[in-house]
Amino acid sequence: MRALPQVFHRQLTLLFFLSSLLLQQCSTVRLIQEYDEVTDRKITSLQEKTSKFFVQMERHIGKPEAAYENFIPFYDDVKTDINVLQVRTKAIPKSDITQQQLTSLLSQMGNLEKLHRLGFNSFEELVPAKNAIEQSFAAILQLQMALKNRIKV
């Protein structure tokens, strides 16, 4: 008589375990945003635009071509691109990290613009700003690649 309840107890335990496992697989907790291809492409495009700026500055620094007035459209484009990305990422759930990265990048670009208004005498003056901006882009792109690789698994 005792064997029957013991078998029933084992079956019930197994059923509970399998149900828990199934529920756990169905309800994955996400602590960070999903990968967004549009955001990834826009960030890459923005990084390319910024790299072109530094190449042009290196070539023309100390010449009239490097004057701030000649680069106002660049700064306007960069600020617009970052603003578009900020609005887009605000619409993506759990994108706080990307939003913080974009806010930091916008601040760095603002600082670069302020320095440019003052004028550059040599490219070496630009190197710290260039390095900081490149590190920011690397961090943003690294996160995007990690998010992309996560969906391939």
Side-chain angles (χ1 to χ4, degrees), residues 80-140:
T80 301
D81 290 348
I82 295 172
N83 185 268
V84 166
L85 282 164
Q86 286 177 315
V87 171
R88 181 172 184 83
T89 57
K90 284 179 184 173
I92 299 171
K94 300 180 181 177
S95 63
D96 296 345
I97 295 172
T98 303
Q99 290 174 39
Q100 291 169 4
Q101 290 174 322
L102 290 170
T103 299
S104 176
L105 182 61
L106 183 61
S107 174
Q108 290 171 337
M109 289 297 189
N111 291 337
L112 176 64
E113 184 176 17
K114 288 175 190 172
L115 289 172
H116 199 168
R117 276 189 195 127
L118 297 173
F120 300 114
N121 296 317
S122 70
F123 188 73
E124 287 72 31
E125 293 175 0
L126 266 174
V127 171
K130 179 181 185 261
N131 290 341
I133 289 168
E134 286 177 349
Q135 286 177 353
S136 289
F137 274 118
I140 295 168

